[in-house]
Amino acid sequence: MIDEQFLRHLSKDYPNIKAASAEIINLSAILALPKGTEYFLSDLHGEHEAFIHMLKSASGVIRSKVDEIFGPDLSREERAGLAALVYNAEAELKRRKASEADFDKWCRSAIYQLVEICKSVSTKYTRSKVRKRLPKYLAYSMDELLHADDEANKAHYYSEIIDSIIECRVAEEFIIKLANLISNLAVDRLHIIGDIWDRGAHPDTIMDFLMDYHDVDFQWGNHDIVWMGAATGNWACITNVLRMNISYNNFDMLEIGYGINLRPLAILASTIYGDDPCEYFKPKILDENEYDPVDEDLAAKMNKAIAICQFKVEGQRIMAHPEYKLEHRMLLDKVDYENGTIEIKGVTYELRDKNFPTIDPENPYELTKEEKETLQSLEAAFLQSEKLQKHIRFMYSHGSLYKSINGNLLYHGCIPMTADGEFKECTVNGVTKKGKAYMDYLDEQVRKAYFVPDESEEIGRSGDIMWYLWLSNNSPLFGKDQMTTFERCFIADKKSHKEHTTEYYKLINDKAVCEKILEEFGLDPKTSHILNGHVPVKIKDGESPVKGGGKLIIIDGGISKAYQKQTGIAGYTFIFNSRYMALSEHKPYEPLKEDGTQVFHTPQITTVETLPKRMTVRDTDQGKELEQEVRELQALVNAYRTGQLKESF
């Protein structure tokens, strides 16, 4: 029974039987459409060019459409050129302008071909939904080209419209907008299962791109959460993100992209380590800085300076939070500064770098006056970075720790579990939870830390919960026994670097455990799946991304260049359309060459599961909501017909 007060409210939008019936018909039509295609990616790690190409190409689906539509009529080279036009219209137009004898004629042909591709990718949508994605000013002409249905006059009609586009000198803009429309329609909804930031050069560019995307959500990863903590002004998080990104030479992103002034850190590092080569802190250069090149020697000194600050600040936070149980990561007090060694878990290691001018052996976690002043400046820079704060707010508004959608459970890392397959009880801030309740509590605490921090605490202290999620063995975002940053910086023996994954990663090979997790989150274990990122799948060593009898799929295939030697590929996209679930396996992205050409590798698409029947919108979570709207509208129509409510005209 639907409440009369609710129906009166609904009647303001649908004041009579005709209006309500029209909406019922519209919703019923939408429910009968095929389910839109969902794309799932994880662990982007700042690889902006590769990621944007994956979306523009719909992870190989666009090339498949081109081959399907034009296979009999165009050569392989021509089809590759047409696909390239969709992937990177600006670059392809520039190349064609230089190579085509009659550029206008080429544009005319390209528009015809793009319209055919666009028709193919738009078949799952109502005309209304397609129109909403059309670009301003060019919407009418695109709509006419896509939906003209007078077969007798269509050729002439098309020709007149396209001739006008050429004559008005807007063909290039039209082609760019049409190519973008194709990519947008090919992907109905995008899910990013964690880790936008760190290692790669431009997570800021990725976030700018996604803020303009039509439908996206995030499941926060450990590298996201530490940036979210840094945005609260938390020193433990700030020192971590700076150390990581300085170590990968990402100065353009830090100083130009986010406007974070690193001069105070550079002065501190130069003053303290002027004669120290900081050999083991030299950055890994995956991408060159275009606007803010920093001398490699200075970068190494900055890296070491912020690393020492990190270890000091982390020690302070561990002492402030004994409930985090991270005492084993307090290592500065374990160093024998006289002999240059450290004892960890009963083993004594020689330090490869023995220069610690800012550490007082009697009080190793105390920051010097200069270090404090530097961190205060950096804190202000993070808090006042307009773009960073905008990006972080978008992560909150469109993200969560996990998401359940259309029978898929999405989370970045793991669910804390015991060795015997039970959900592990974890205590944070004096509250003990497990399973779904633990995930819900953490999500709530992360939001509270950013939006309603405890005013009695110092600025940034609320972000301690994000730092905890960054490196605790009970964090569902980390899933390892320890984070061995100090060991990697100061100890040559790689045995000390080892980080062991938690029980979860052994248990997920068991189908029953995966089904137990799905049930815990209210999903049908017979038909549902779990999608994770976080741990790169070593495909080159024969490892499979599919676990637990097909119930769980890990989709971190190494989009990050830093991991491609481990995985042997350059990332996965998980694709879920109305007919099947599939994994698209990518090869390394090749950037645009100086001569304007670009090599695009078509990914290998492997079907993971074929659906027993074609899935419609009615079968989705959105479908359930639309069916409820239909029931409410039907009740409204009945209220009009029985005289319970009066119609307005």
Side-chain angles (χ1 to χ4, degrees), residues 466-480:
M466 284 82 139
W467 172 71
Y468 169 83
L469 289 172
W470 161 243
L471 83 174
S472 169
N473 66 333
N474 282 337
S475 167
L477 303 182
F478 183 48
K480 295 179 183 177

Side-chain angles (χ1 to χ4, degrees), residues 406-417:
N406 297 333
N408 290 313
L409 177 60
L410 322 178
Y411 52 87
H412 176 70
C414 65
I415 305 296
M417 304 191 82

